[in-house]
Amino acid sequence: MRLRPVGEDSLLVDLDTPEEAQAWHARILDRCGRGTSAPVRDIVPGDRTVLLYGVADVHAMEAELRQWSVPLSAAGGGPLVELPVRYDGADLGAVAALWGVTEDEVARIHSGTEHRVAFCGFAPGFAYMLGLGERYHVPRRPAPRTSVPAGSVALAGPYTGVYPRASPGGWQLIGTTGVRLWDLEREPAALLTPGTRVRFVAEEAAPAAAVATRRRTA
């Protein structure tokens, strides 16, 4: 873990892996939420970083964080969102070949994994989700598509993502969902936010699921 001051009132926590970043983000949120840590205006997770923006005393916060020991299990639980998905993506066969399994096995493995939103970016409502083990990491396509349909469920590196709107993209497409990931009339507008747990439900197993189901942890 490395701490880097950013400007006059911000601090960047630089980690070695996305999993470490998730754990530190969850721990900082928890401590600040319970008032057991110095207040921070905004906490922004990244691939391997957590940015603390608007820190009253950067030096004091840095000294405090250096005393912490944060296990990967600190990522813990968050609200659960279930997304219905049809495993019909254009790259499903290519992903199956990379994994050395059948297309049905890709659907079974992906839907049998609990994913967790690590951070958001690229486009409003786009969430980078971790969960698949290293064995199932896949490269981006050698040539990005000029337009990926909204609702496309896709893989790249360690991440799963769902395109909230039609846009260019180079991820491997394995399925589609009809759920709206970004809706300005909803609060919050983004359905998937950092820390949210996500399960993809194959439509054959839940044919009536037209919208996402959101549950709080017990």
Side-chain angles (χ1 to χ4, degrees):
M1 185 269 291
R2 295 158 297 279
L3 299 175
R4 310 182 192 279
V6 179
E8 296 181 351
D9 66 349
S10 300
L11 188 64
L12 187 70
V13 185
D14 188 7
L15 290 313
D16 292 325
T17 68
E19 291 77 14
E20 286 182 288
Q22 276 199 322
W24 275 82
H25 175 245
R27 178 59 57 85
I28 293 168
L29 276 179
D30 177 65
R31 294 285 294 267
C32 290
R34 291 190 288 113
T36 57
S37 182
V40 178
R41 191 180 311 154
D42 201 5
I43 304 167
V44 183
D47 179 39
R48 290 174 171 82
T49 61
V50 183
L51 175 64
L52 309 184
Y53 174 72
V55 180
D57 188 333
V58 171
H59 296 295
M61 175 63 80
E62 184 174 353
E64 178 183 339
L65 294 181
R66 290 194 185 282
Q67 303 302 313
W68 292 13
S69 176
V70 180
L72 295 183
S73 59
L80 175 66
V81 171
E82 295 180 344
L83 293 176
V85 58
R86 297 184 304 279
Y87 286 95
D88 57 1
D91 300 314
L92 185 62
V95 171
L98 287 167
W99 288 6
V101 301
T102 65
E103 293 183 6
D104 286 344
E105 276 291 286
V106 173
R108 184 190 66 78
I109 293 166
H110 189 259
S111 63
T113 299
E114 183 174 281
H115 307 259
R116 191 173 187 275
V117 178
F119 62 99
C120 298
F122 171 63
F126 190 97
Y128 291 77
M129 292 171 263
L130 289 171
L132 291 171
E134 186 174 355
R135 178 202 182 314
Y136 301 114
H137 296 180
V138 299
R140 288 172 169 80
R141 289 172 50 83
R145 292 181 170 90
T146 57
S147 182
V148 175
S152 294
V153 179
L155 307 178
Y159 295 109
T160 292
V162 182
Y163 285 78
R165 63 186 183 191
S167 65
W171 289 32
Q172 307 274 2
L173 309 183
I174 63 169
T176 54
T177 181
V179 175
R180 295 189 66 178
L181 278 298
W182 179 259
D183 185 349
L184 289 174
E185 296 184 1
R186 182 174 57 208
E187 180 57 42
L191 178 65
L192 305 180
T193 55
T196 301
R197 295 177 297 131
V198 181
R199 281 200 174 273
F200 293 90
V201 181
E203 279 206 327
E204 293 77 10
V211 297
T213 300
R214 190 176 186 95
R215 299 200 298 247
R216 302 297 301 184
T217 52

